[in-house]
């Protein structure tokens, strides 16, 4: 009996020793960054499903409404909390027929054109007119009214690829307000070279803006090769080798549908400290109607949501992470404005947005309080192994969080490589095949590393 007891005691000691040894040698649970680098990629799953099951989702249309229903179901299924839609009303524009042709003085040729958002209609019969050429937006601004009145204005430019996409602000003026300038000078229509860096016969759409009191005119964008063709013909006319002015026939029949409903989709990862202000991460759910909105901005929604999922799976963060899939960004940032109207008075710790495609994150910029210096150092160190360098400029946030940042909310920018972004932006070519899964995963990893640090920051570091 004594031997049996001794044997049992030794067996117990051995079992305890083995258990203790196994516990001591067992690996720690995976971090959020570990999770981002292994297994399935939720960002790809979201991007693939949204572009496949919903496709184009222009603001305040049934397609965008379907996307919101899809988003609510998807985010809830992923385990996020407080998933909801916050509706708002907005003016709604939809495109119609789109045709353009050069009709003289040379052999008539059809052009590839698309209407710009808020363009007026030519009417069902279209219009014809003489083309007046301007080498740039600034040249149109400087032109006397008599050189423009009664004519179709064409605005040219030479946008080039840039890693930071910096040409968009300069050349984009032709689209943003070129039609407004032309309308005030008496033009009957405006046509611009697409704000893009590609050489495909795929025109780039996008919104244009008319001041209050200015009557909208038809406004369209030509594909770059078709703009080249127009310019070559214009040069012949300007050189005196043609006997008549350059003329165009234009047919654009968009409609204004008045006030229609759009909405934001919001979800959260609840933090362990309810008193701590949340981190808000944003993308936009809507897209233009020409493509399936893969790079702009299904990928952005996939990236931010995957990062939040990985942080959540690794353990509850201190701060709540609020996910904003904004509606109606493309046509006027109505979703960002609606979010600010509803939540702008709430305290937010920091805001981030992904809305520049899915290519490599290459730089991180900060706009944080002085108290966050150590925090910025930790983030810079955490993302450096993934090829991300620390920038020297202040973060500016993004369109949907722009009102928050303007009101003083701190921001972090994870800048993506935009070298090829404007080849695809607002075109029929914005489709899933343009997403590189390897680069998409790098985005998620960098976002996860950054978000994990921000969501666990102290009140002494962030407000």
């Amino acid at each position: 009996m004594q031997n049996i007891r001794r044997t049992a005691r030794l067996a117990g000691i051995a079992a305890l020793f083995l258990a203790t040894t196994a516990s001591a040698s067992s690996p720690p649970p995976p971090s959020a960054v570990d999770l981002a680098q292994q297994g399935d990629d939720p960002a790809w799953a979201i991007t693939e499903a949204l572009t496949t099951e919903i496709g184009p989702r222009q603001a305040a249309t049934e397609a965008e409404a379907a996307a919101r229903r899809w988003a609510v179901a998807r985010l809830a299924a992923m385990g996020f909390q407080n998933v909801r839609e916050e509706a708002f009303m907005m003016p709604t524009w939809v495109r119609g027929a789109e045709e353009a042709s050069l009709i003289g003085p040379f052999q008539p040729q059809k052009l590839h054109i698309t209407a710009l958002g808020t363009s007026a209609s030519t009417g069902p019969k279209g219009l014809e007119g003489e083309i007046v050429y301007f080498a740039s937006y600034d040249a149109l601004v400087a032109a006397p009214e008599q050189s423009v009145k009664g004519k179709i204005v064409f605005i040219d430019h030479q946008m080039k690829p840039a890693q930071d996409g910096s040409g968009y602000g300069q050349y984009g003026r032709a689209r943003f307000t070129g039609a407004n300038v032309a309308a005030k000078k008496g033009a009957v229509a405006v046509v611009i070279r697409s704000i893009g860096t590609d050489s495909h016969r795929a025109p780039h759409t996008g919104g244009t803006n008319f001041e209050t009191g200015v009557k909208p005119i038809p406004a369209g964008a030509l594909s770059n090769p078709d703009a080249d063709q127009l310019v070559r013909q214009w040069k012949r006319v300007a050189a005196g080798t043609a006997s008549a002015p350059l003329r165009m026939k234009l047919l654009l029949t968009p409609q204004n549908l008045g006030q229609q409903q759009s909405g934001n989709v919001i979800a959260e990862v609840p933090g362990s400290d309810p008193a701590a202000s949340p981190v808000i991460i944003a993308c936009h759910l809507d897209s233009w109607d020409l493509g399936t909105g893969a790079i702009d901005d299904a990928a952005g929604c996939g990236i931010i949501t995957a990062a939040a999922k990985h942080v959540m799976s690794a353990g509850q963060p201190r701060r709540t992470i609020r996910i904003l899939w904004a509606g109606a960004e493309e046509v006027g940032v109505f979703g960002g404005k609606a979010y600010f109207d509803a939540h702008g008075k709430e305290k937010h710790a920091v805001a981030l947005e992904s809305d520049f495609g899915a290519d490599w994150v290459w730089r991180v910029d900060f706009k944080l309080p002085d108290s966050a210096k150590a925090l910025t150092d930790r983030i810079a160190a955490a993302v450096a192994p993934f090829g991300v360098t620390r920038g020297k400029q202040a973060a500016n946030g993004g369109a949907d969080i722009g009102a928050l940042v303007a009101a003083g909310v701190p921001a972090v920018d994870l800048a993506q490589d935009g070298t090829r972004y404007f080849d695809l932006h607002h075109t029929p070519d914005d489709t899933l095949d343009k997403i590189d899964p390897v680069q998409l995963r790098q985005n998620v990893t960098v976002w996860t590393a950054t978000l994990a640090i921000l969501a666990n920051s102290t009140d002494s570091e962030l407000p």
Side-chain angles (χ1 to χ4, degrees):
M1 180 66 71
Q2 188 175 3
N3 288 337
I4 293 173
R5 289 173 180 165
R6 184 181 298 113
T7 300
R9 191 183 307 115
L10 291 172
I13 293 170
L16 179 62
F17 174 76
L18 290 172
T20 303
T21 303
S23 175
S25 61
S26 62
S31 69
V33 174
D34 293 333
L35 294 172
Q37 297 180 87
Q38 63 191 33
D40 295 333
D41 184 359
W44 174 263
I46 288 170
T47 306
E48 190 276 339
L50 181 56
T51 56
T52 300
E53 297 172 22
I54 303 298
R57 43 203 183 275
Q58 188 168 336
T61 65
E62 171 52 32
E64 193 201 30
R68 291 195 301 276
R69 295 191 295 269
W70 181 95
V72 167
R74 186 80 177 209
L75 291 166
M78 293 178 72
F80 295 108
Q81 302 298 306
N82 304 323
V83 182
R84 61 199 186 272
E85 178 183 337
E86 295 186 353
F88 56 86
M89 302 298 290
M90 55 165 285
T92 303
W93 173 98
V94 293
R95 73 181 67 252
E98 301 178 327
E99 297 177 12
S101 298
L102 292 172
I103 57 173
F106 307 103
Q107 178 69 19
Q109 298 185 41
K110 290 185 176 180
L111 305 174
H112 287 241
I113 193 168
T114 191
L116 300 179
T118 73
S119 165
S121 174
T122 61
K125 294 183 179 180
L127 61 83
E128 296 182 10
E130 179 182 339
I131 296 172
V132 56
Y133 172 89
F134 294 101
S136 67
Y137 172 85
D138 291 323
L140 170 62
V141 171
E145 181 178 314
Q146 61 267 27
S147 69
V148 173
K149 191 171 183 178
K151 297 179 181 178
I152 298 174
V153 164
F154 173 74
I155 307 173
D156 201 9
H157 63 82
Q158 294 296 324
M159 186 176 179
K160 300 295 183 183
Q163 188 176 33
D164 62 359
S166 54
Y168 187 53
Q170 172 71 14
Y171 298 110
R173 297 176 301 160
R175 195 196 84 212
F176 306 150
T177 58
N180 182 72
V181 173
K184 290 198 294 184
K185 293 177 184 285
V188 296
V190 65
V191 174
I192 68 169
R193 177 187 289 273
S194 282
I195 309 303
T197 52
D198 61 304
S199 58
H200 302 149
R201 293 192 81 182
H204 299 236
T205 191
T208 194
N209 302 285
F210 294 96
E211 297 172 16
T212 301
V214 174
K215 184 179 180 181
I217 59 175
L222 292 176
S223 76
N224 280 316
D226 288 282
D228 290 339
Q229 182 76 326
L230 186 156
V231 171
R232 284 191 292 268
Q233 290 198 4
W234 170 260
K235 287 181 177 178
R236 282 170 165 76
V237 170
T241 59
S243 58
L246 186 62
R247 293 182 62 82
M248 172 180 283
K249 182 174 182 179
L250 184 64
L251 175 68
L252 300 173
T253 61
Q255 299 179 62
N256 290 302
L257 303 182
Q259 293 288 316
Q260 302 291 326
Q261 183 173 300
S262 183
N264 295 324
V265 175
I266 295 174
E268 292 178 339
V269 178
S272 62
D273 183 354
S277 53
V279 175
I280 182 166
I281 55 177
C283 63
H284 67 85
L285 178 57
D286 68 305
S287 76
W288 280 108
D289 53 320
L290 302 183
T292 59
I295 68 161
D296 189 18
D297 187 31
C301 291
I303 289 163
I304 69 167
T305 306
K309 174 69 172 177
H310 294 317
V311 173
M312 179 173 66
S313 297
Q316 186 178 29
R318 176 176 177 264
R319 296 181 185 273
T320 292
I321 300 170
R322 182 174 294 168
I323 300 166
L324 169 62
W325 288 20
E329 184 272 348
E330 294 290 7
V331 294
V333 199
F334 291 102
K337 293 173 183 174
Y339 179 86
F340 185 77
D341 289 343
H343 302 281
K345 293 182 179 178
E346 301 170 14
K347 183 178 282 188
H348 295 73
V350 63
L352 303 85
E353 184 164 350
S354 182
D355 181 18
F356 199 48
D359 285 356
W360 308 109
V361 177
W362 65 282
R363 191 185 72 211
V364 58
D365 296 311
F366 301 99
K367 187 179 181 182
L368 301 180
D370 293 341
S371 59
K373 184 181 183 307
L375 183 70
T376 62
D377 291 342
R378 294 202 304 276
I379 292 173
V383 300
F386 308 108
V388 181
T389 60
R390 185 171 185 163
K392 297 180 179 179
Q393 63 189 54
N396 58 25
D400 295 299
I401 59 173
L404 290 173
V405 176
V409 174
V412 176
D413 288 347
L414 295 171
Q416 295 155 294
D417 188 330
T419 304
R420 69 182 186 124
Y421 183 72
F422 289 105
D423 286 357
L424 309 169
H425 182 244
H426 294 181
T427 74
D429 280 339
D430 182 2
T431 49
L432 183 66
D433 57 298
K434 310 308 187 302
I435 304 291
D436 180 343
V438 173
Q439 296 192 57
L440 182 69
R441 189 180 287 272
Q442 186 260 7
N443 271 263
V444 173
T445 303
V446 171
W447 264 83
T448 301
T450 303
L451 185 59
I453 293 171
L454 292 172
N456 287 289
S457 59
T458 65
D459 289 340
S460 63
E461 292 173 318
L462 291 175

